Amino acid sequence: QVQLVESGGGLVQAGGSLRLSCAASGNIRSIRIMAWYRQGPGKQRELVARITSGGSTNYADSVKGRFTISRDNAKNTAYLQMNSLKSEDTAAYYCNVEAESGDSLYYKYWGQGTQVTVSS
């Protein structure tokens, strides 16, 4: 089993910055993909950014140029640096990882979510 612990959410004014962290622990042999999703009020969960083990990244159009995803493979930790925050970024942010377990199979895991609220 794999556990994900997210941190870094909070209340920030529009134009401000926050940095989210997601630390994975447990029965992990490797992590192929680490990603951040978000779900705003009354909205579906959407992909914000993802990063592969090799460092390739993808971003939602709405956050390109403002958010940066990174990872520390030695610590099994992903980060999401969020700059120039807007009110529409208000959402619960969820970490998602695709990890190889002890049985050599890959599974997807979700964190519990961390709330980001941007006041205008």
Side-chain angles (χ1 to χ4, degrees), residues 1 5 24 29 37 47-48 54 63 69 93 95 105 107 109:
Q1 197 52 269
V5 177
R29 297 183 64 177
Y37 287 73
L47 175 67
V48 176
V63 306
I69 189 170
Y93 283 71
C95 179
L105 297 176
Y107 301 90
Y109 301 90

Side-chain angles (χ1 to χ4, degrees), residues 8-93:
L11 174 64
V12 64
Q13 288 189 331
S17 299
L18 283 174
R19 188 190 193 212
L20 306 183
S21 299
C22 171
S25 62
N27 188 16
I28 301 172
R29 297 183 64 177
S30 65
I31 299 179
R32 186 154 59 190
I33 295 172
M34 304 189 81
W36 288 95
Y37 287 73
R38 68 185 180 187
Q39 186 166 15
K43 298 181 180 180
Q44 290 188 331
R45 191 171 296 189
E46 63 175 356
L47 175 67
V48 176
R50 64 193 289 271
I51 184 168
T52 68
S53 57
S56 296
T57 58
N58 297 95
Y59 295 92
D61 288 342
S62 59
V63 306
K64 282 181 181 177
R66 299 188 298 122
F67 290 11
T68 302
I69 189 170
S70 61
R71 63 188 282 176
D72 184 332
N73 290 328
K75 296 181 179 179
N76 287 335
T77 299
Y79 306 95
L80 185 68
Q81 178 66 44
M82 305 185 294
N83 299 327
S84 303
L85 282 161
K86 306 175 181 179
S87 57
E88 50 263 45
D89 295 318
T90 294
Y93 283 71

